[in-house]
Amino acid sequence: MEQVAVFVHAPDPLTHTGLTAHLRSRSDITLLDSADRTRAQVLVVAVERLTTDVIAMLRLAATEIGAPVVLVTTEVSEQELLTAVECRVVAVLPRAAVTAERLVHSVRAAASGGGVLPPNLVGELLKHIERLQRDVLNPNGLNASGLTAREIDVLRLMAEGFDTNEIADELRYSERTVKNVIYGLNHRLKLRNRSHAVAYALRSGMI
């Protein structure tokens, strides 16, 4: 099994010792000290609550290290969860429910691009997405990807190898409209060219 490099941040020595003991027993996990934390593939962060200072620390870690975060916390609200997700938190473990098995599972899920959330937080997150779709995206003609139906149609045809003329004919748009759509996509998503736009859309599951 592939090795995962992990850095553990905890508010007190006792919590730090407990979490590292859970992870140290696994041969597929390498624990890093503070000097090597920038090499971490996953961060395990234990806190009581998501205070302003904790959020600032998570934002800094997201910038400096960029690794996904497993958050061990006593309590987290819906709004705090949304803020945490912006800081690369992909797994949340209630502090009282932490076991070696659950912690290792969360670390490995985070390392492989997955996530782990308690059922009640999944429900809250889905409710938020539903409200976002109803109140923000639908009124502006957008879907969950943040793209309009027109943009998705253009991307799909670009992926099939159509040039600007052919896309305009297929969708019954003017060439200027197609060019404006492509320019808007590249500018908004910070993409370099048509190929980059298609690759981005495919990787993101937009088309």
Side-chain angles (χ1 to χ4, degrees), residues 98-133:
V98 173
T99 63
E101 183 180 358
R102 286 176 177 168
L103 183 58
V104 170
H105 170 70
S106 297
V107 166
R108 294 213 65 85
S112 63
V116 179
L117 290 176
N120 65 306
L121 290 183
V122 173
E124 293 299 327
L125 197 56
L126 290 174
K127 287 177 189 174
H128 176 79
I129 292 171
E130 182 181 353
R131 287 196 298 272
L132 180 66
Q133 184 78 43

Side-chain angles (χ1 to χ4, degrees), residues 7-9 13-26 29 31-32 44 103:
F7 176 70
V8 176
H9 171 88
L14 186 61
T15 302
H16 189 275
T17 299
L19 293 173
T20 55
H22 284 328
L23 298 171
R24 188 171 284 117
S25 62
R26 293 290 299 245
I29 290 178
L31 290 172
L32 303 175
V44 174
L103 183 58

Side-chain angles (χ1 to χ4, degrees), residues 24-77:
R24 188 171 284 117
S25 62
R26 293 290 299 245
S27 60
D28 55 331
I29 290 178
T30 301
L31 290 172
L32 303 175
D33 58 26
S34 182
D36 292 325
R37 65 183 181 276
T38 56
R39 293 177 38 230
Q41 295 167 274
V42 176
L43 300 179
V44 174
V45 177
V47 295
E48 284 293 327
R49 291 294 304 266
L50 282 177
T51 63
T52 303
D53 288 343
V54 170
I55 293 297
M57 182 268 290
L58 289 173
R59 290 193 194 282
L60 183 62
T63 301
E64 292 185 343
I65 303 174
V69 176
V70 175
L71 184 68
V72 179
T73 185
T74 304
E75 185 180 353
V76 60
S77 68

Side-chain angles (χ1 to χ4, degrees), residues 178-195:
V178 173
K179 288 177 180 177
N180 286 341
V181 169
I182 294 171
Y183 173 81
L185 280 169
N186 288 345
H187 180 73
R188 192 166 80 250
L189 301 178
K190 295 180 172 56
L191 304 170
R192 294 186 299 274
N193 49 44
R194 290 167 61 112
S195 298

